[in-house]
């Protein structure tokens, strides 16, 4: 049986901030980063749990396992790229003459 593909809703920074502020107030940029890192970690943990369930036979739907793994991989790659850009910016600032 073929299941219908559900559309992915785009997430913008403003909607993420508003959603998080409704649930719990974000005071600083570091709070926003912590929340983002926690979401990436949750995606990684979900993918790992689904992998374990697939191996043990608890999950029959390999499609969901693959989708969760892809989400976790994309989130991790984005996090790494953001880290690299932040480090590049820091290094550029440190090279500036006073």
């Amino acid at each position: 049986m073929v299941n219908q593909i559900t559309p992915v809703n785009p997430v913008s920074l403003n909607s993420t901030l508003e959603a998080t502020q409704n649930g719990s107030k974000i005071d600083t940029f570091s709070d926003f980063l912590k929340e983002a890192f926690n979401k990436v970690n949750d995606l990684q943990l979900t993918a790992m749990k689904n992998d374990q369930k697939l191996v043990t036979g608890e999950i029959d739907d390999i499609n969901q396992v693959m989708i969760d793994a892809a989400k976790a991989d994309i989130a991790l790659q984005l996090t790494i790229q953001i880290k690299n850009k932040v480090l590049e910016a820091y290094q550029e600032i440190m090279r500036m003459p006073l």
Side-chain angles (χ1 to χ4, degrees):
M1 174 180 248
V2 177
N3 294 334
Q4 181 180 3
I5 297 175
T6 58
V8 176
N9 296 329
V11 177
S12 68
L13 181 61
N14 290 336
S15 64
T16 303
L17 282 174
E18 289 170 3
T20 307
Q21 285 176 344
N22 290 338
S24 63
K25 185 161 174 51
I26 294 179
D27 292 327
T28 63
F29 181 68
S30 65
D31 291 340
F32 175 75
L33 284 179
K34 287 177 189 175
E35 181 70 24
F37 288 141
N38 286 337
K39 287 180 182 178
V40 171
N41 188 44
D42 290 344
L43 287 172
Q44 292 288 327
L45 292 174
T46 300
M48 187 173 61
K49 288 176 186 175
N50 284 348
D51 288 344
Q52 290 173 349
K53 287 180 180 180
L54 181 67
V55 170
T56 59
E58 295 176 39
I59 292 181
D60 293 330
D61 187 14
I62 192 168
N63 295 328
Q64 189 61 44
V65 175
M66 295 301 294
I67 290 170
D68 289 343
K71 284 181 185 179
D73 182 52
I74 291 170
L76 182 61
Q77 293 299 321
L78 177 63
T79 304
I80 291 169
Q81 291 300 320
I82 291 171
K83 180 223 25 142
N84 290 342
K85 291 297 182 183
V86 168
L87 285 176
E88 287 176 22
Y90 174 76
Q91 290 169 349
E92 185 67 29
I93 290 170
M94 295 308 290
R95 285 192 292 260
M96 291 178 146
L98 294 174

